[in-house]
Amino acid sequence: MAAQSSSTFANPPNYTFTSHRLHRTLHASDKQPIVLVACGSFNPITYHHLRMFEMANDFVRQNTNFEIVGGYLSPVSEEYEKPGLVRAHHRVNMCTLATEQESSGLMVDSWEAFQNYQRTAVVLDHFDYEINTVLGGVSTRDGEHRDVRIMLLAGSDLISTMSEPGVWSHNDLDRILGRYGTFVIERTGSSMDQATDSLARWRNSIYPIPQLVQNDVSSTKVRLFFRRGLSVRYLIPAAVIDYIKQNYLYLDDGSGPEKEKGKDKESGEAETSLRDGGSLLQL
Amino acid sequence: MAAQISAHKTTAFTNPPNYALTSHRLRRTLHASTKQPIVLVACGSFNPITYHHLRMFEIAKDFIRQNTDFEIVGGYLSPVSDEYKKAGLVNAHHRVKMCTLATEQESTWLMVDSWEALQNYQRTAVVLDHLEYEINTVLGGVSTRDGGHRNVQIMLLAGSDLISTMSEPGVWSHDDLDNILGRHGAFVIERTGAALDQTIDSLARWRNNIYPIAQLVENDVSSTKVRLFFRRGLSVQYLLPASVIDYIERNNLYPDDGSCTEKDKDKGSESGEADITSSESSNVRGTLGKEMTRLSTN
C-alpha cells in the first residue's frame, strides 16, 4: 500500500498527533500491522465503545494475520451539528479520561474534533499520513520497514448507512472499505449479511465480528439517564461520570429544560450521600 | 396467615468461625423520618461478580428513590456457600474476596456479607432472617434525626430468573416464600422486554411486597459468559471491575482451556453459542435441584 502522496491536510491550531501508545515495533514479522480507528460522536464515551476495541482485539488475534499496533478514538467535529452534541473539547477530554485511565492501548486523536467537519475517508487518510509518512510506519525486529494499514472500527449501524444509496460517495466507500478496510461489530442476534450484500465488491476487506455479550449501552441512553437523574454507574467510566457532573453536561437534551420527574433529583441524592459518607468516616 | 407475618422469634443462627457482620457502610441515621428504612440483599453465586450485579443495585436505588417511600440504608452481596455444589463454583473465600474488591473499590455504599458463604448451605429465607437479626437485634436498627428508633426492613434484590423459580410448584417451600415475599419483600429486576406480570400472577398473594423494576439498558453480561470468555482467552475488560480481573488472573480461577488458540482455530463460534445455552440451562437446573433437596430434608 503506497504511502499517501503529501496531501494538504488542514490541521487545527497547535495540533500534534498523539502516538505515545503506538507500537513502533512489530512483534511477529509475518503479520500485517494495523491501527484501528473508531469515528463517532462519543457524546459521551461509554464502556460499549471501549468493548468494541476489546472484541476487535480478540477477533484479530484469533482469526487474522493482522497485528494491532494502536487504537484511536476520533470524536467528530462540532460542525456536525447533531442536537445535544456537547463541545468538542469536552468530548475529547472524556475520551482521554476513559482511555488513559481504563485502557492500555487506546489513544484519542483530536484532529477532526477541533476543526471543520471532515469526512471519514479523509480522517483515515490523515491517520495514514501521520503514521506512515510523518512517523515512518513501524519496523520488524530485524529493522525492516512496514507501512501500517489504517482500518475503521465501526458498529453495524454505520455500515448500514453505507449501503443506503446517496449517503456516502462511491469514492469515499472505495477508500474506506476497499483501500483501508473495516471491522464491523455486529449487533447481537442480527447478522451482517444483508447489510454487506450491497457492499459486496468490498467484501474481502469488511470483517464482521459477532458480539457474544449484549452490552448495548448507547450514548443516547446515557444522556437520557442523566436528564432523568438516573444512575449511569458501571455503564461509563467513573472518571467520565465525575467530569460530566463537574461540567454540568447532559442536563437537558439541547431542546430546553425538562420538567423534573420523580421524588428527588439524583444530584441531590449524591450530595446527601457525600455528607453522609463524611460522617461515616468519623465513626 | 396473619400469624405467620408477625415478627420473627429469636432463632439460633449458626455463625462461621470469627464471624462479624460487615457494617461500615450501613447508615445508622434515617434522613427522612417519614421513610421506611430498608437494606437490599442480593443472594447469588457471584462466580464471578460482574458489572451487571453492581448495576442491579444502582437500578434499584433509582427506582426506590423515584417511586417509593423507602430509604436505603445499606446494600449487601451474599455469596452462596460452596456446599451449593454448582459445577464450576470456585472456592467461597475467592468469591467473597472478588465481591469485596468490587464493592470497596467501585461502590460507595455496597458491602459483602460472608455469613452464608463460609458455612453450610443456608436457605435464602434464613439468610434474610440472619441479616434482620444482625441489623435490628444486634445493632439495634437505625434512628431518626430526633432520636426515634426504627427497624430496618430486609429486602431481597433479585433478577427475574430467581423469581421465576419461585412460581414453579415444589421448588420453594411455602413457608419460605411467605417469609421472603410476604414478610421481607423483594425487588425484581426485569429482563429487558420480558414483563414479570405472569410470574407475579402465581405469587399473587404477595403481590404487594414484590416490586418489579424495568431495566432500560440491556446488559446481559452473565457470570457464565464471563467464565466462558476466560476459558477461551477472550477479553472481559469493561464487563467486570479491573481489580476482579486481576484477581482472577493471579489466582487462575477460570483457566483457559486452550479450546481457542491463535489463528489456527476455525469456526469456534457455532459450538461457542451452544456452550452458552447449555451452561445457562444447567445452571437453572442446579438452582432448582438444590432447593428441591432442601425441601425434601425439611
Side-chain angles (χ1 to χ4, degrees), chain A residues 2-283:
Chain A
Q4 174 86 341
S5 59
S6 49
S7 315
T8 44
F9 289 105
N11 284 350
N14 304 319
Y15 172 76
T16 52
F17 183 65
T18 302
S19 60
H20 62 297
R21 289 174 168 179
L22 193 62
H23 290 155
R24 306 301 307 284
T25 310
L26 205 55
H27 283 142
S29 52
D30 57 327
K31 299 217 175 190
Q32 159 77 57
I34 67 172
V35 146
L36 299 178
V37 179
C39 297
S41 308
F42 301 111
N43 186 38
I45 187 164
T46 69
Y47 274 137
H48 175 70
H49 297 126
L50 300 178
R51 277 292 301 161
M52 277 177 40
F53 283 91
E54 294 296 305
M55 291 186 267
N57 203 24
D58 287 335
F59 178 87
V60 162
R61 190 184 70 248
Q62 291 183 347
N63 296 281
T64 74
N65 275 322
F66 295 129
E67 183 177 314
I68 299 173
V69 298
Y72 285 90
L73 301 173
S74 181
V76 77
S77 163
E78 267 155 35
E79 239 196 30
Y80 194 54
E81 259 160 41
K82 220 163 152 182
L85 190 69
V86 303
R87 297 294 312 280
H89 74 275
H90 284 315
R91 290 180 290 113
V92 167
N93 285 344
M94 291 188 283
C95 286
T96 305
L97 282 168
T99 53
E100 286 302 306
Q101 297 193 17
E102 302 230 9
S103 100
S104 53
L106 297 183
M107 295 164 279
V108 181
D109 181 37
S110 58
W111 184 78
E112 59 166 321
F114 289 148
Q115 59 169 312
N116 297 340
Y117 174 71
Q118 300 292 335
R119 291 167 6 254
T120 302
V122 177
V123 172
L124 299 181
D125 289 344
H126 144 77
F127 274 98
D128 189 22
Y129 173 72
E130 290 288 344
I131 291 174
N132 291 317
T133 304
V134 176
L135 285 177
V138 300
S139 18
T140 61
R141 288 180 186 279
D142 349 298
E144 243 182 75
H145 164 268
R146 292 286 172 80
D147 268 352
V148 177
R149 183 171 171 183
I150 312 300
M151 300 183 72
L152 184 69
L153 174 62
S156 50
D157 330 34
L158 187 71
I159 301 304
S160 297
T161 71
M162 287 178 171
S163 35
E164 288 178 48
V167 180
W168 295 73
S169 86
H170 186 273
N171 286 343
D172 277 9
L173 288 184
D174 214 20
R175 289 231 293 295
I176 299 167
L177 301 176
R179 194 170 115 79
Y180 293 115
T182 308
F183 293 94
V184 186
I185 308 288
E186 291 180 341
R187 306 218 92 143
T188 319
S190 70
S191 159
M192 284 279 313
D193 296 344
Q194 280 180 340
T196 50
D197 271 354
S198 49
L199 308 172
R201 77 177 64 218
W202 302 292
R203 182 185 295 276
N204 289 338
S205 37
I206 301 175
Y207 299 83
I209 302 178
Q211 210 174 171
L212 298 177
V213 171
Q214 179 111 280
N215 205 19
D216 73 344
V217 43
S218 67
S219 299
T220 305
K221 278 186 179 160
V222 168
R223 296 194 302 272
L224 176 72
F225 278 32
F226 272 111
R227 287 200 303 278
R228 290 197 185 166
L230 300 176
S231 162
V232 297
R233 203 153 287 278
Y234 316 121
L235 301 181
I236 81 180
V240 178
I241 298 177
D242 290 344
Y243 183 92
I244 290 170
K245 289 187 170 165
Q246 284 155 17
N247 290 276
Y248 305 103
L249 304 180
Y250 306 123
L251 294 176
D252 64 68
D253 59 2
S255 62
E258 266 208 14
K259 283 255 182 307
E260 188 49 41
K261 292 183 188 171
K263 301 197 172 197
D264 316 75
K265 266 182 83 66
E266 212 266 340
S267 52
E269 187 69 9
E271 277 165 29
T272 309
S273 310
L274 283 173
R275 279 205 299 276
D276 208 56
S279 64
L280 267 180
L281 286 170
Q282 286 155 27
L283 284 172

Side-chain angles (χ1 to χ4, degrees), chain B residues 160-226:
Chain B
S160 50
D161 327 36
L162 187 71
I163 301 304
S164 297
T165 70
M166 289 180 171
S167 44
E168 291 181 46
V171 180
W172 295 71
S173 85
H174 186 273
D175 284 351
D176 275 7
L177 287 184
D178 217 19
N179 199 9
I180 297 167
L181 300 177
R183 208 168 77 72
H184 292 289
F187 292 94
V188 187
I189 310 287
E190 292 179 341
R191 305 215 92 143
T192 321
L196 275 173
D197 300 343
Q198 279 179 339
T199 310
I200 297 185
D201 274 352
S202 50
L203 306 171
R205 76 177 66 218
W206 302 292
R207 182 189 297 274
N208 289 338
N209 237 3
I210 303 174
Y211 299 82
I213 304 178
Q215 209 175 171
L216 300 176
V217 173
E218 178 118 52
N219 206 18
D220 76 342
V221 43
S222 66
S223 299
T224 305
K225 278 185 179 163
V226 168

